[in-house]
Amino acid sequence: MNWDASLLWQFDVLIITMVILCAVAALTVRDLVSCAIIGGAYSFLMCLLWTEMLAVDVAFTEAAVGAGVSTVLLLGTALHIKRKSKD
Amino acid sequence: MKKIALLITLAVGALLILAAEDFPRWGDAHAPANDYLSPYYIEKSLEETAVPNIVTAVLADYRGYDTMFETTVIFCAGITVLTLLRRTQRKAPKAVRPRPARQGADVILQSASRLLVPVMQIFALYVLALGHHSPGGGFQAGVILGASFILLALSYDLKTMLARLSENTLLRLSALGVIIYAGIGALCLLLGDNFLAYAALKVFGFSEVMAHSHGILGVELGVAVTVMAIMFSLYVDLASGGDLDEGL
């Protein structure tokens, strides 16, 4: 397969910027439920990044576990503890 | 305090970025990782295991031990969450309010999930069976199967779902997956080869290469069963705080 990674560097920059934005947002948001949702978005962007690096197996796992199941697990847990984080 | 933490984080981050400059470039054919073992897998994995997807061949055959203990780790994690939530006394009453009974009220949600779930489950089986040829395999298939049960539990309620797939069944299934994996390994041992050396399975009438291929499929099945059961059991326990009464 011929693959010129340099063709897609604009996508790289876009996705990495969004990943960093999501990471900062997840740290600054006080509400744990919002935090879980932002974590899901972060996982999805990471999945795009893996796909772009042609690591499709990793991307598949990230989409299923990171963006799918773990978001639900975090949400379910966040509803049982204090929703507002203190720090 | 926060400023010091920020300073430390920035310093360490800058150091890591500086150090990353010394890594071989992405996709460099002469990087140490690509020089030593990768050529062997790329050249030999297809003829040794008849599995075109090298990732699957490495994961379930060459690195079969790793994957077996990863499955065991997932099993232990599920059991730990269950035990912790069940055995710890609650200090305050449960924070989450039981959701109002809405039997038959969510027609759209329930019909949509009823349409979606069979597709998800068949796709999961497809991912499991086609792990040899395309991305995917036991782990992903197990997660998708578990997610389909979680979707059912979300759109109906936890009790309806647990009536169909009880916690006992879940725990038996999660142990069964590990037993399938370790059992295939032990079978190879009984047949006179090393643990997880699938070549021993050729006594069932396969060629040696196909024995590898079928062995991989068998252990992937074990991984999928464990991951499916543990994913759903994690959801059931975390969403109800260990009481198994109501979900999200």
Side-chain angles (χ1 to χ4, degrees):
Chain A
M1 189 194 299
N2 288 316
W3 187 269
D4 187 3
S6 63
L7 278 179
L8 285 172
W9 69 268
Q10 291 95 340
F11 279 113
D12 270 356
V13 172
L14 183 69
I15 297 171
I16 289 174
T17 322
M18 277 157 57
V19 164
I20 294 173
L21 279 182
C22 276
V24 173
L27 282 177
T28 40
V29 160
R30 288 282 166 91
D31 186 16
L32 289 178
V33 173
S34 324
C35 195
I37 302 291
I38 296 172
Y42 175 89
S43 283
F44 177 68
L45 289 168
M46 280 310 291
C47 162
L48 290 183
L49 212 54
W50 294 125
T51 320
E52 207 269 338
M53 288 193 275
L54 291 184
V56 193
D57 282 86
V58 188
F60 198 175
T61 316
E62 181 79 45
V65 182
V69 174
S70 68
T71 309
V72 179
L73 292 183
L74 284 176
L75 268 181
T77 316
L79 288 178
H80 282 279
I81 54 182
K82 285 201 182 91
R83 267 186 74 162
K84 300 284 177 206
S85 141
K86 275 178 199 141
D87 50 16
Chain B
M1 195 62 216
K2 267 194 173 172
K3 274 178 188 157
I4 302 174
L6 184 68
L7 213 65
I8 295 174
T9 316
L10 282 179
V12 174
L15 210 64
L16 283 177
I17 290 175
L18 272 178
E21 277 297 300
D22 290 340
F23 279 154
R25 285 186 60 79
W26 182 71
D28 184 0
H30 298 292
N34 297 340
D35 255 354
Y36 162 58
L37 211 50
S38 300
Y40 179 83
Y41 291 145
I42 292 168
E43 285 161 17
K44 293 285 171 64
S45 71
L46 184 59
E47 57 184 82
E48 280 182 1
T49 63
V51 176
N53 184 359
I54 302 174
V55 177
T56 305
V58 172
L59 213 69
D61 194 334
Y62 298 107
R63 294 269 179 270
Y65 265 77
D66 285 10
T67 313
M68 188 181 86
F69 286 111
E70 271 161 27
T71 317
T72 318
V73 165
I74 291 170
F75 175 72
C76 294
I79 300 293
T80 312
V81 168
L82 191 150
T83 325
L84 277 179
L85 285 177
R86 207 58 61 75
R87 292 276 165 186
T88 317
Q89 286 291 320
R90 224 180 236 117
K91 283 177 194 145
K94 217 161 148 185
V96 68
R97 269 166 289 144
R99 79 176 178 195
R102 40 179 191 181
Q103 213 70 45
D106 286 334
V107 181
I108 296 175
L109 192 61
Q110 295 185 353
S111 313
S113 72
R114 207 182 288 174
L115 282 175
L116 210 58
V117 164
V119 180
M120 280 174 81
Q121 293 181 342
I122 289 180
F123 179 65
L125 295 179
Y126 166 84
V127 167
L128 172 65
L130 223 72
H132 283 34
H133 296 270
S134 67
F139 192 77
Q140 289 90 335
V143 174
I144 297 174
L145 270 177
S148 77
F149 294 136
I150 293 177
L151 181 64
L152 272 182
L154 278 172
S155 54
Y156 288 78
D157 58 12
L158 209 55
K159 275 192 186 136
T160 322
M161 197 54 221
L162 280 174
R164 291 168 187 238
L165 191 63
S166 72
E167 203 192 22
N168 278 336
T169 323
L170 280 177
L171 290 179
R172 287 203 186 107
L173 280 177
S174 59
L176 176 73
V178 181
I179 292 175
I180 290 177
Y181 203 135
I184 289 177
L187 189 63
C188 301
L189 203 62
L190 281 179
L191 293 172
D193 210 327
N194 287 326
F195 190 70
L196 284 175
Y198 307 128
L201 298 175
K202 67 185 173 199
V203 292
F204 295 111
F206 318 124
S207 68
E208 193 164 310
V209 177
M210 283 320 284
H212 274 281
S213 183
H214 294 319
I216 291 174
L217 186 63
V219 300
E220 296 265 26
L221 182 72
V223 175
V225 171
T226 295
V227 170
M228 185 251 317
I230 289 299
M231 285 299 155
F232 188 55
S233 140
L234 277 180
Y235 167 76
V236 165
D237 280 312
L238 287 175
S240 67
D243 293 347
L244 305 190
D245 46 2
E246 73 264 332
L248 285 177

